[in-house]
Structure formats: structure tokens, C-alpha cells
Amino acid sequence: MSDDKISTTALAKLLEVPVQQLFGTLKDYDWIRKVSDGWVLTPKGEFEGGEYRTSKRYGRYIVWPVSLEQHAMLRALEDNKMLSAAALGQPHRLSGRAVNRILAELGWQKRESHGWMLSPRGQQQGGVQMENRQSDMLYVLWPEAIIDDAVLTQRLREAGMASENSAAGDLFAENEGLVSIDGHQHSSRELQQICQWLYLAGVLHATNRQLPVKEPLKADFFLPLNQVFIDFWAADATPTELKAQMRKAELYKMQGWNAIELHPEDIAQLDDIMPRQFHKFGVKFS
């Protein structure tokens, strides 16, 4: 490739905008169009200097003159930068998946089988519906000004402070109590984080639920729609608490009940662990 031609991905980095936003803009301005196996140039795109290159790794792709960085249309794009869910979550140490669930809770988007669909309320907030050019999955980009929205900022702050183990998070817990954003109270930070994950994933759940036995044994969480019990095995459990946990595990096995065990090392990986566990029991979540 000649030095004055760069890929669309490289051009997006130069402009400091999400690559999918750039692809969407080029499509909207009729410089490129989508076909079954990727993107092709239009006459307008060719006029602006777009060309094809081929590599063994990526196949055929489009390149552009570096000078397009100064193009009036693309400069306007840079001035109206859009943010992904992952970018919104970075200041609060939240994953893109966690932020997407918070945006859904606000009613700004809705989970569909092929991604996240922008809602009318999300449109009012300036959200833009996007589609991944490789996977065809839908997602939403948000205007940079959205970070000034007081309601969103508060929700992100609550979720971030509940999920981190920093001194600031501990102070928050001490001042406000271990209450997850759905209002449930908890005896430990780990239970608070699990509850919050379930709520934001749209999973109906009860907390501290008595098992269907005469013994005074309670599951930390119970999912009534799929009859799944969830228990957290705390590292600092007392002998009495450990005995109760072991008895519950025995009952789950004897009765053939659906059960999920979580341990301290799992808390930081709930986004990876819970979907795998839920798949085994047919639990639907967002």
C-alpha cells in the first residue's frame, strides 16, 4: 500500500472516532455501500480517492487518502464524536455489557436477538443505531454530550461503586449500606454485586430465599422462572455458615435441583461466568 493511502479502520483512528461510526457515515454519504461479502465503493467514494487493496489476511478492503482527515464532512464527524457503551463505562470501570444493561434499564435501548435496538427514548437522547459490518449485530452509539446526563451519570456511578473494591467503594458501602440498585439489602459486598448483576441482566430473582425443606436453610438467590438456586461461598465463612453451605450443596445434589455456586474469585468475572451457568439451565438474560 502506498504511504498516502490508509484503511478505513486507520482513518477512524486518525479521526479519533469509532470505526463503525465512520463506516456508517461513509454509507450515509453514499461513498460506500454494503453487499453480501462486505463493502464496495460507489462512484462518489471513488471520486474522493477510495481504492481497493487485497491482502492474504483480510482479503479485499478499501483504502483512502490520508488527506481525507481534513475533509469538511469528516471534520464535522470528529466534532460530533459518538461514544460506545464501553467508552461510557471506562471512567466508572464498567464493561460495555454492564453499561448496555444500564441503558436498557433507562429505556433507551432494548435487547434483541441480534443485538441492542435503539428505542424512541434513546433517539431523544441522541443515540444512533449502528450495525457491525462483520457480524451484522446491532448496537448503539451515543453523543459525547450524554456524559453530562445526570440520571445516566448517577446510574453509572452506583454500578461502578458497587462493583469496585477500592477505598472509595468501601466508603460508599459504609455510608449508604450494602443495598443493590434494585433495593435489596445484603450482608456482604459480593452478594450486592451478584444481585446487581442479576437485576441489570433482567433476571427475576429473590434474595435470602428459604429452601423448600423443613430445615432453616436459605439460598442467597432464587430464580423462580427456572427454579435455580445461587449461593456465594464466602472465604471468611464461620464454621456454622460453612456447615449450612455444605448441607445446601448436599440437598441440591440429592433433590436434583438446579444450583450455581459462586466463589470469591468469580465475582470479578460475572460477565463471563454467569452466561455459561445460565446456558445450562435455560435462563434468559439481556
Side-chain angles (χ1 to χ4, degrees), residues 11-17 22 69 74-75 77-78 81:
L11 182 59
K13 290 181 179 179
L14 200 62
L15 294 167
E16 298 183 349
V17 298
L22 179 56
E69 181 193 7
L74 298 185
R75 296 303 299 180
L77 176 66
E78 188 176 22
K81 189 183 301 182

Side-chain angles (χ1 to χ4, degrees), residues 39-224:
W39 296 93
V40 297
L41 287 163
T42 65
K44 283 186 179 180
E46 292 177 348
F47 176 80
E48 296 293 346
E51 297 179 0
Y52 294 108
R53 293 288 186 270
T54 303
S55 73
K56 291 182 179 179
R57 183 176 181 182
Y58 299 109
R60 191 177 76 162
Y61 61 98
I62 298 172
V63 296
W64 306 94
V66 175
S67 59
L68 280 184
E69 181 193 7
Q70 302 302 321
H71 193 286
M73 184 194 79
L74 298 185
R75 296 303 299 180
L77 176 66
E78 188 176 22
D79 293 337
N80 294 279
K81 189 183 301 182
M82 305 293 283
L83 300 177
S84 65
L88 287 172
Q90 283 180 355
H92 305 276
R93 299 182 183 180
L94 293 172
S95 68
R97 282 177 284 190
V99 174
N100 272 323
R101 292 174 186 136
I102 291 171
L103 293 168
E105 186 205 13
L106 289 171
W108 295 2
Q109 62 183 17
K110 181 180 180 182
R111 178 72 178 187
E112 301 287 353
S113 60
H114 54 305
W116 293 98
M117 180 71 72
L118 184 66
S119 71
R121 288 169 63 183
Q123 287 179 326
Q124 293 174 1
Q125 298 294 331
V128 177
Q129 185 71 65
M130 304 294 291
E131 181 180 6
N132 187 292
R133 62 191 178 93
Q134 295 178 326
S135 65
D136 293 328
M137 293 294 289
L138 298 176
Y139 66 100
V140 180
L141 290 177
W142 303 92
E144 199 168 23
I146 203 75
I147 60 178
D148 295 325
D149 183 271
V151 175
L152 176 61
T153 298
Q154 178 63 21
R155 297 294 173 87
L156 293 174
R157 176 179 175 273
E158 289 174 351
M161 296 189 80
S163 64
E164 67 183 17
N165 293 317
S166 64
D170 292 338
L171 179 61
F172 177 79
E174 180 181 344
N175 290 342
E176 301 294 335
L178 290 169
V179 181
S180 52
I181 58 176
D182 61 358
H184 287 142
Q185 295 190 6
H186 305 281
S187 59
S188 73
R189 178 172 295 283
E190 292 86 357
L191 292 173
Q192 179 193 35
Q193 291 176 250
I194 296 168
C195 186
Q196 187 146 290
W197 191 96
L198 292 170
Y199 174 72
L200 291 175
V203 179
L204 178 65
H205 63 280
T207 61
N208 202 31
R209 188 71 171 105
Q210 171 66 40
L211 269 60
V213 295
K214 293 182 179 180
E215 300 173 61
L217 295 171
K218 296 182 178 181
D220 291 327
F221 302 95
F222 176 61
L223 315 186

